[in-house]
Structure formats: structure tokens, C-alpha cells
Amino acid sequence: MLTKWTRRSLLAGATAMGPCIMVRPALAADDRFSQYHNQAASGTLHKNLTAMWEAVRNETNGLVETTVYAENNKLPGGDPDALKMLISGEIQFFTLMGGIIGTVVPVAEAQQLPFAFKNAAEAHKAIDGPLGRYIGQEMATKGLHLFPVAGFDNGMRQVAAMSRPIVSPDDFAGMKIRVPPGQMMLDTFGAFGAQPVTTPANKIYDSLKSGVVEAQENPLAILDGFKLYELVKYVSLTNHMWSGFNAMAHPATWNALPEGIKGVIERNFTKAVRQQRLDQATLNASLRDDFVKRGLVFNEVDQAAFRAKLPGVYAVWKEKLGSKCWSLVEAEVGKLG
């Protein structure tokens, strides 16, 4: 049965949890939650987060009000700045890929080990299971709360370039390619001979247009959402990493909420994650034909040639991630390296 919350019941629930619990910062009428994410407002992530928080507002009788900000509300520093804001409590909810979380919680980079997950479904299974729970435990020690079902989908990452297709690793030689922040990205593309450059997601278009980079790597939906199809010519289906967005909360804000309110939010996050995965898969699958009509040229690659460049990267990251994390990954995908 749906619980309809009132401010009195909310405060009573908080009081029952102990005198240290403070509800006012989270739920006062003039101090609402903020949900940041780095995707375009037209994307499946924004649409599902917006619908989710509207459902939470309705189920809590308007007590939980959250504004969803696409493209991290245009923060100049992008994801790294938003992550700092989440840890400090300046924003209360944030979704972010594991590689960037890895700058604070190294094991989160396990989500994007190169050529580990064969497809998005395999990645979802891993991050919904023991691997995801372990990453969440490590995140908690660094001031981040990860939801039980947290992995919104971006999709498998592909290389889109202006100058030439990527058929073999040698084609990366000297190529300036935009990548998101995260050491694993730098290590992987460095091993291929590329020159990786980091920028916020909403600066990829400008970086390509100005010549700062000549390529970028992302799921096809990003080419659509940020209109990168206007600039790139070649799309190489490398499927080199899975990409997703982890749903997180500021721990002190989260812990201050009564259990019933937490339950409403968790249940709606789970529902939104599962729906968004379906929406994103449908979108990514439909875009190849659309892009071909726009004149983009697609090619498949032999992944074995790229894997052959990565033993050193795997060795480094096995040590960085630790034996427990590495074994949890290999339990899902098989032997790496």
C-alpha cells in the first residue's frame, strides 16, 4: 500500500531514529534536493531521472522535491567539480561513470576495464551483483552513498573520428582523442599510441570543432545527444568499454532521512535504472542507420589486435584494484590479461 507522507509523519520518523538526525536541511520548503548528471536534457538519463523524482514527489505528498540538472548545470569543471560538490553536500544526488569516481575510489574504475564486458547486459549483471556491492562498500569509506541498483546505462563505447577510421591499433598513432577523466582511460589509449585529452562531456563538440582533438570515444547515443554527428565522419565499432552512470547520494543527507522515505527513493531508483537501460539500448541500436543516412561511415574491428596491446595495462590495474576486486571482475567475465 502506498504511504502518503506528511511533514508531521516525516519528522516523527526522524525523531524515532535518534536525536542526531536532522531533517530540515534536506526537506525544508526552501531547501530542496539537487540531482546532477552530465548528459543532455534530450537523453534517456535525464528523462528517466525527471520521471523518477516526480514519482518520489507524488509518493511523499510533495515533501521530497528534487530538481534535475542536465549537463551538470553547466559547471565549468564538469564531472570532477560536481563530484566534489556531492562529497561536500552542496548537491545531494549525482550520477557518474565509474572511471571518474575512480579518481576518489580506485575500485570504481573496474566498471570500465577495457575489453572486459562483452555487452551492456553482462556489465549490468556484474554491477548489480557482488562486484557492485563491493564498489559501493569502498565508496562509502570516501563519502559517497551508492544505491543498491545504481547502474544507469550509457552503452558500449565506440571511437568516432574526423580524420580516419580505426581498423587496427596502429591507426591510433598520434591521434588526439577526447576521453573523460580517469587514469584507466589514459592508460588504455596511451597503450594504443593515441594522445588522450580530457574535457567535460558538454565540451566535446567544441573540442572537435576547434581541432583540440580529432576523435572521441562514447556510445552512439552521445553522438546524437551532443550533435557530434555534425563533425565526425568515421565510427569504428570497437566496443572497447562499457559505460554507465552510478546513482549516488550525499551520505549525511541520505542518512538523515526516515527509513520510509529512503524506501520510496530506493524503489524508484531501481525502477528508473531498469527502464533507462531498456530505453538506452533501444536508442543505441537505432542510431547506426540514422547516422549512415547522415553520411557517417561505420566499420567493425578485430578486438584481438587491441587486446594484444593491453597486458601491461591489465597488470598495472590488477595491482591498483586489488586481488579481491580483480577476482570479482574475473568471476563475471573470465580471465583478463
Side-chain angles (χ1 to χ4, degrees), residues 136-269:
Q137 291 165 8
E138 292 296 301
M139 287 170 63
T141 69
K142 301 293 185 179
L144 297 166
H145 173 79
L146 183 69
F147 284 91
V149 178
F152 288 102
D153 191 59
N154 198 7
M156 301 303 292
R157 302 179 81 91
Q158 323 294 354
V159 175
M162 301 170 71
S163 55
R164 60 184 182 272
I166 300 298
V167 179
S168 74
D170 292 342
D171 295 319
F172 275 119
M175 176 180 279
K176 292 182 179 180
I177 181 169
R178 182 272 174 185
V179 299
Q183 191 59 45
M184 190 177 291
M185 282 284 190
L186 300 177
D187 291 351
T188 298
F189 286 94
F192 297 148
Q195 297 179 30
V197 177
T198 62
T199 71
N202 62 4
K203 299 294 184 183
I204 302 174
Y205 189 99
D206 291 342
S207 296
L208 287 165
K209 188 173 183 179
S210 66
V212 171
V213 298
E214 58 187 301
Q216 66 89 54
E217 53 75 55
N218 260 308
L220 296 185
I222 304 304
L223 272 69
D224 183 57
F226 290 98
K227 301 186 184 301
L228 306 182
Y229 57 79
E230 296 178 352
L231 301 173
V232 299
K233 175 69 175 178
Y234 303 98
V235 181
S236 301
L237 298 174
T238 51
N239 289 293
H240 54 274
M241 291 175 179
W242 174 76
S243 181
F245 308 109
N246 296 272
M248 302 177 292
H250 174 245
T253 300
W254 179 251
N255 292 334
L257 295 173
E259 292 303 313
I261 293 289
K262 289 180 183 178
V264 171
I265 295 173
E266 281 190 352
R267 175 167 47 76
N268 278 284
F269 256 123

Side-chain angles (χ1 to χ4, degrees), residues 57-211:
R57 188 187 70 80
N58 289 336
E59 290 184 35
T60 60
N61 202 27
L63 287 175
V64 178
E65 294 256 8
T66 305
T67 302
V68 181
Y69 294 95
E71 298 182 32
N72 291 330
N73 202 22
K74 304 294 185 181
L75 278 176
D79 287 326
D81 280 2
L83 183 58
K84 292 175 184 176
M85 291 170 68
L86 181 73
I87 293 171
S88 71
E90 191 174 347
I91 62 176
Q92 297 76 42
F93 296 92
F94 185 32
T95 66
L96 184 62
M97 63 185 293
I100 304 176
I101 298 171
T103 61
V104 176
V105 186
V107 296
E109 295 234 35
Q111 293 180 352
Q112 58 184 55
L113 276 162
F115 300 105
F117 300 112
K118 297 180 182 66
N119 50 52
E122 188 172 79
H124 299 161
K125 178 176 176 292
I127 62 174
D128 288 349
L131 176 63
R133 288 192 290 274
Y134 175 66
I135 292 172
Q137 291 165 8
E138 292 296 301
M139 287 170 63
T141 69
K142 301 293 185 179
L144 297 166
H145 173 79
L146 183 69
F147 284 91
V149 178
F152 288 102
D153 191 59
N154 198 7
M156 301 303 292
R157 302 179 81 91
Q158 323 294 354
V159 175
M162 301 170 71
S163 55
R164 60 184 182 272
I166 300 298
V167 179
S168 74
D170 292 342
D171 295 319
F172 275 119
M175 176 180 279
K176 292 182 179 180
I177 181 169
R178 182 272 174 185
V179 299
Q183 191 59 45
M184 190 177 291
M185 282 284 190
L186 300 177
D187 291 351
T188 298
F189 286 94
F192 297 148
Q195 297 179 30
V197 177
T198 62
T199 71
N202 62 4
K203 299 294 184 183
I204 302 174
Y205 189 99
D206 291 342
S207 296
L208 287 165
K209 188 173 183 179
S210 66

